[in-house]
Amino acid sequence: MFLPIVHFDLDAFFASVEQKLNPRLRGKPVIVCGVDPQGQNVNRGVVSTASYEARSYGVKSGMPVYQARILCPQGIYVGGNFSAYQAHSAIVLTIIKRFAPKLEQTGLDEGFLDFTGCQELYPDTKILCEKIRRQVQNQVSLPVSMGLSISRVLAKIACNLGKPNGLFTIGKEDIKRIVHPLPVEYLPGVGPKTQIVLGNNGIKIIADLVKNEIKLTNLLGKFGYNLYLAACGIDNIWFGERAEIKSIGRSTTLVKNTNNASHINSILFQLCDEVFYELLDKNLTAGCVGISLRYPNFTDKQKSKTISDFPKTPSELYHQAVELFNTAWDKKTKVRLLGVRTSKLKKENNLTPRVKTILMLKRKYGSDILRSGFVLDTRPVNLKQ
Ligand code: TTP
Ligand code: MG
């Protein structure tokens, strides 16, 4: 069967990596708390993801940890290890890239493959995807689900229908039978609020969306029209090629609020180091640097400035960030959160050999493989909730 568009998405990604790294966690309800998909710290109480064993108790991403503990008291609660997730993501992507002429990564653990025009080479994309899934399983020991179809929106729905650890196809002839009877929340873009609005207007399943183009547009404007397109299996604005990245940043909620300047500086350095190498990884430099801080009473301060020459090293970026930070911070109140952000991004190809080597090592072994001696071990990578 040749279906040109594939969506892949690793199952319970953070939890699967934890189970892979620690055999004692396999087959158990594992709940990862601590980091989000950008590596930012969410250590104050939210579930990042839950293994499928934990999901059977009703535990979900985004749920407060205290609620998860009520639903699943026997669960194993672990802190996030973002650099391990990044390293596993990079290996999986390398495997998948070998097969696909066109790959668009849409998240740390997911993306689209486009085999349009490759029918001669791959007459059966279903067989090919089974092979890719086996390779990921054999080489990285992580379960990945895939969906195949004729558009991105349908491939994504197919992937979700195949989860966990499955492969699901939706051909043109299957749309009425498989897609139309699904509840509206199976459609990407329909969250709990939209679901209520639609439900109040008698729209419960995808077939209802297909029948109600005008009603949807009147009800929800452009958003409604895009839902209508998605329900028809047509890629709407959300499924176009990815918009260009506008900014790259990192922020972290501190383990403990602090007004210790050298501690703050060390964290700022670490954030700058991560931002610097992410920019390089994407072949970008920035024309603007900014910092943010949050006080314990949740007041936020932000400062940014335009720069003509982008720093050549993480420490140059750090000096810019510290200068901005010192104009924003009152120098006595404790700080709860720190962030560094770069924007006005531009393409850059002039890397020094030293930086290229560091970048290569970070890509291969994860971003924590090399750290400046200036960075204290400040981020709670192994938080026990
Ligand atoms: P998802 O692919 O949405 O979720 P998942 O891989 O855990 O589970 P599945 O795909 O099988 O449904 O997100 C990938 C990772 O991103 C996830 O493992 C943890 C992180 N994440 C969060 O930190 N917070 C969130 O709210 C979500 C949805 C994901
Ligand atoms: Mg996933």
Side-chain angles (χ1 to χ4, degrees):
M1 179 191 298
F2 180 82
L3 288 166
I5 309 293
V6 177
H7 186 254
F8 65 90
D9 187 342
L10 292 151
D11 299 319
F13 178 44
F14 292 3
S16 299
V17 174
E18 298 295 338
Q19 288 175 320
K20 178 201 161 173
L21 296 178
N22 183 354
R24 281 182 303 136
L25 301 182
R26 293 182 196 159
K28 306 254 171 71
V30 174
I31 294 120
V32 180
C33 320
V35 287
D36 72 6
Q38 282 75 43
Q40 304 198 9
N41 231 312
V42 284
N43 57 326
R44 298 192 185 193
V46 183
V47 171
S48 301
T49 197
S51 69
Y52 276 78
E53 293 84 354
R55 288 182 199 194
S56 66
Y57 294 89
V59 180
K60 292 189 223 167
S61 296
M63 179 180 269
V65 173
Y66 77 85
Q67 200 180 336
R69 282 190 188 279
I70 295 168
L71 291 170
C72 187
Q74 67 276 57
I76 304 168
Y77 292 77
V78 296
N81 181 356
F82 191 66
S83 55
Y85 310 147
Q86 273 182 316
H88 281 83
S89 159
I91 302 168
V92 171
L93 264 288
T94 309
I95 295 171
I96 296 180
K97 257 183 213 159
R98 284 193 214 127
F99 297 91
K102 206 167 161 193
L103 176 150
E104 188 196 342
Q105 189 179 355
T106 49
L108 199 58
D109 77 330
E110 61 167 75
F112 289 102
L113 311 178
D114 188 344
F115 290 98
T116 306
C118 298
Q119 196 154 2
E120 291 294 316
L121 190 62
Y122 298 126
D124 192 326
T125 41
K126 189 175 173 192
I127 292 177
L128 175 70
C129 285
E130 281 299 9
K131 187 171 165 187
I132 302 175
R133 275 167 27 81
R134 268 197 311 276
Q135 286 214 1
V136 173
Q137 183 63 54
N138 293 342
Q139 294 177 23
V140 205
S141 300
L142 289 178
V144 56
S145 295
M146 287 188 167
L148 278 75
S149 194
I150 50 174
S151 66
R152 289 175 169 224
V153 62
L154 291 175
K156 190 163 169 72
I157 293 173
C159 183
N160 287 333
L161 292 175
K163 272 184 176 294
N165 200 12
L167 180 146
F168 199 90
T169 60
I170 301 178
K172 218 178 188 165
E173 63 290 352
D174 302 321
I175 296 175
K176 264 201 181 136
R177 183 175 55 87
I178 296 175
V179 181
H180 286 187
L182 294 172
V184 285
E185 64 269 27
Y186 277 72
L187 198 64
V190 178
K193 283 186 195 150
T194 310
Q195 197 186 335
I196 292 170
V197 176
L198 295 174
N200 290 342
N201 285 274
I203 298 173
K204 304 256 194 244
I205 60 172
I206 293 183
D208 299 332
L209 291 166
V210 174
K211 281 184 236 149
N212 282 295
E213 179 187 349
I214 308 288
K215 192 169 174 181
L216 279 170
T217 311
N218 290 342
L219 209 57
L220 299 164
K222 267 192 190 156
F223 177 74
Y225 181 64
N226 279 298
L227 280 186
Y228 164 75
L229 290 177
C232 297
I234 300 167
D235 288 336
N236 56 25
I237 45 165
W238 309 317
F239 285 93
E241 296 274 329
R242 269 242 157 147
E244 254 182 80
I245 310 169
K246 293 265 190 304
S247 68
I248 287 178
R250 283 282 189 288
S251 68
T252 185
T253 304
L254 310 187
V255 183
K256 226 173 129 202
N257 301 338
T258 186
N259 56 3
N260 177 323
S262 62
H263 192 105
I264 288 173
N265 288 349
S266 168
I267 295 167
L268 281 174
F269 189 95
Q270 186 173 342
L271 297 172
C272 288
D273 191 68
E274 290 178 19
V275 169
F276 183 82
Y277 282 104
E278 186 176 342
L279 281 164
L280 291 195
D281 189 42
K282 296 191 159 67
N283 251 339
L284 296 167
T285 60
C288 184
V289 176
I291 62 92
S292 54
L293 70 95
R294 177 172 294 160
Y295 289 124
N297 67 0
F298 282 81
T299 319
D300 291 324
K301 297 263 177 218
Q302 281 159 352
K303 286 272 170 186
S304 63
K305 70 171 178 186
T306 302
I307 46 173
S308 48
D309 285 324
F310 186 70
K312 296 275 175 289
T313 60
S315 40
E316 279 179 41
L317 178 61
Y318 160 75
H319 286 297
Q320 307 267 12
V322 166
E323 204 177 284
L324 285 168
F325 180 78
N326 286 335
T327 62
W329 184 39
D330 64 14
K331 300 200 174 47
K332 46 182 198 293
T333 312
K334 287 190 176 175
V335 174
R336 176 187 161 87
L337 171 144
L338 289 166
V340 172
R341 182 154 293 280
T342 55
S343 55
K344 296 192 186 157
L345 306 182
K346 291 178 279 210
K347 285 274 171 212
E348 159 73 50
N349 295 311
N350 289 326
L351 305 187
T352 63
R354 177 174 174 275
V355 163
K356 267 188 197 158
T357 309
I358 296 175
L359 189 57
M360 192 266 292
L361 288 168
K362 282 178 178 279
R363 277 181 180 153
K364 192 157 176 191
Y365 298 108
S367 60
D368 281 348
I369 189 70
L370 284 171
R371 283 265 178 87
S372 159
F374 184 52
V375 172
L376 302 170
D377 194 9
T378 46
R379 293 183 84 176
V381 285
N382 254 329
L383 165 92
K384 291 267 180 302
Q385 294 270 340

